[in-house]
Amino acid sequence: MTGALVLAACAPQTDGLQLMQSEIDMRLAAGIAEPAPTTALSGKVAQDFPTALRNALLADPGYRAARASEAQAEAQIAVAQSGRRPQLTGSAMAGRIEEHGGTTPDKTTGASGDLTLTQLLYDGGASTAQVDRSTAEALVARAERRVQENAVLLEAARAWIDWQSAASRLAALDRRAAQMDEMIGQIERLASAGTFDRSALDTARGKALDVKLMRRDLAAELTDARIRFEQRFGAAPARLGAAQLPSQKLRQAQREDAWRQAPILQRAAAALIAARAGVAAAQAGFRPEVSLQVGATTPMQSDDSSDVMAGVRLRYTFHDGGRRKAQLEASTQTVAAREAALADAQRSARAEHRAAVAQLQTLHSTTGLLAQKATLLAEQARTARSQIATGQSDLGALIATEVEAYQTEERKITTQAALTLAQIEIAAGTGDLAQIVGVDAP
């Protein structure tokens, strides 16, 4: 029987590998779990931007995975703390003992057991270091969850804003194209009566075709925006509300020192604390371990006595082949790496925050200038259209003004979208976006 157990233990594990690989293949071949339509988009109507963002976050698989990882890391704290508490262990065996040899072979049938209570008194700080490391790793998981939730909210906001921007630009182009078609129709009637140069009419038609080509490109961009919108919100966009968040809270995220509490920095700092706890755990390996033990054993043979034991147990490793020294060196280098990573993350966060705020100020001023230019060009185009029939306005100049007016309006729409998105990106970088949209998790 013993030989059979040994052979079974040595048997190849290919059957288990194949079975598990089959399970993996079946899981990957299954359909992708799509997010359910969010409450804010019920009926393909969304008027509450923050609510839609929250619902998109809660439906995101990556965010749910980050929450589960955070809960798992927090549970590990209790696992580490349990090492400081009394440990009660026991074992029992029922069976038969046969004693061969000697003058009186003996056979005994019965049961035996033992019970041991152990309380750790001193371990050189190993248990404290383990608790500290588990706590720091839980904070790493929390920061990672905050990074994930702000990233998901940002991408959902980007999908919303991109759709609105593309739809607005397409609507503006359609309005401009309708005006040009109406104008060309009037000119065609004048050209048929011989009161208008037909070569100028051909030029106008060519410009109208250019506008239709621009519409094709915009339609493709709108399709791409719709796909990304449906991916984030689980429903097709329809009458979307304005992409607005409380301006005061957005401005708070633009403070000069707001970058200091960014989730990526929280994650890097917590990882450094965890590494330092690893050094403390490695140093504890060079110290003895002292514990109090109380136990009792009962023999299988009824004529043997039961034993009770109580005492202090001292354990120390005198030689381990260099394992503790190597582990301490590795832990020390990990701390150095984490310190450098934190310093680099702080420099990057500060620089990116300053650059984003400066870019935001530029977008603010650009938006105002574009609004003024769009108003001026619209007035010029309106005047030129009214004078085209009397010959007071040149057709080529009018077409150029119409095209420039649309390009200015398009740029104004894209700049306004970039301005809104830049504010949200800054809030996401500082970790304030989740709080702004009403996510309650710390």
Side-chain angles (χ1 to χ4, degrees), residues 153-369:
L153 290 170
L154 174 59
E155 290 308 311
R158 191 190 308 277
W160 185 292
I161 293 170
D162 286 350
W163 162 263
Q164 285 191 322
S165 174
S168 298
R169 285 182 286 137
L170 187 59
L173 183 61
D174 286 342
R175 289 194 301 269
R176 194 69 61 179
Q179 292 174 350
M180 292 181 66
D181 289 341
E182 181 182 358
M183 179 185 61
I184 290 174
Q186 294 175 353
I187 295 173
E188 285 177 341
R189 289 190 292 273
L190 293 174
S192 299
T195 59
F196 206 93
D197 184 6
R198 193 165 282 278
S199 63
L201 177 60
D202 293 337
T203 301
R205 288 171 175 166
K207 293 292 185 181
L209 288 175
D210 290 340
V211 170
K212 291 180 180 179
L213 290 174
M214 293 169 62
R215 191 189 191 286
R216 185 184 64 178
D217 295 339
L218 268 179
E221 183 177 339
L222 187 64
T223 299
D224 175 72
R226 177 182 60 79
I227 293 172
R228 289 187 288 112
F229 187 97
E230 291 178 350
Q231 176 189 0
R232 290 294 173 183
F233 295 97
R239 299 192 303 274
L240 301 185
Q244 292 181 345
L245 294 173
S247 58
Q248 182 178 1
K249 292 183 178 180
L250 289 174
R251 284 195 296 271
Q252 289 177 353
Q254 298 162 19
R255 302 188 316 272
E256 184 178 357
D257 62 343
W259 60 271
R260 295 184 181 276
Q261 295 301 316
I264 57 172
L265 299 184
Q266 295 279 341
R267 181 178 60 190
L272 174 58
I273 295 174
R276 288 174 176 168
V279 171
Q283 291 172 338
F286 291 92
R287 304 185 184 108
E289 179 182 299
V290 182
S291 59
L292 175 66
Q293 286 189 343
V294 178
T297 60
T298 59
M300 184 175 291
Q301 293 181 342
S302 59
D303 55 348
D304 287 346
S305 63
S306 297
D307 297 328
V308 177
M309 175 271 295
V312 176
R313 179 172 178 265
L314 174 65
R315 187 174 69 88
Y316 181 75
T317 302
F318 291 94
H319 181 69
D320 60 1
R323 179 185 58 84
R324 289 174 296 176
K325 183 177 180 181
Q327 188 173 14
L328 179 59
E329 176 62 23
S331 300
T332 303
Q333 293 302 321
T334 299
V335 169
R338 297 280 172 82
E339 287 176 341
L342 175 59
D344 182 63
Q346 287 176 318
R347 287 192 295 268
S348 297
R350 181 180 61 186
E352 291 173 3
H353 183 75
R354 290 177 176 176
V357 172
Q359 178 66 19
L360 187 63
Q361 295 171 350
T362 301
L363 289 171
H364 271 298
S365 60
T366 302
T367 301
L369 294 174

Side-chain angles (χ1 to χ4, degrees), residues 48-58 153 156-157 233 245 433 437:
D48 188 345
F49 182 57
T51 299
L53 292 183
R54 284 198 304 272
N55 291 334
L57 173 66
L58 296 176
L153 290 170
F233 295 97
L245 294 173
L433 181 57
V437 302

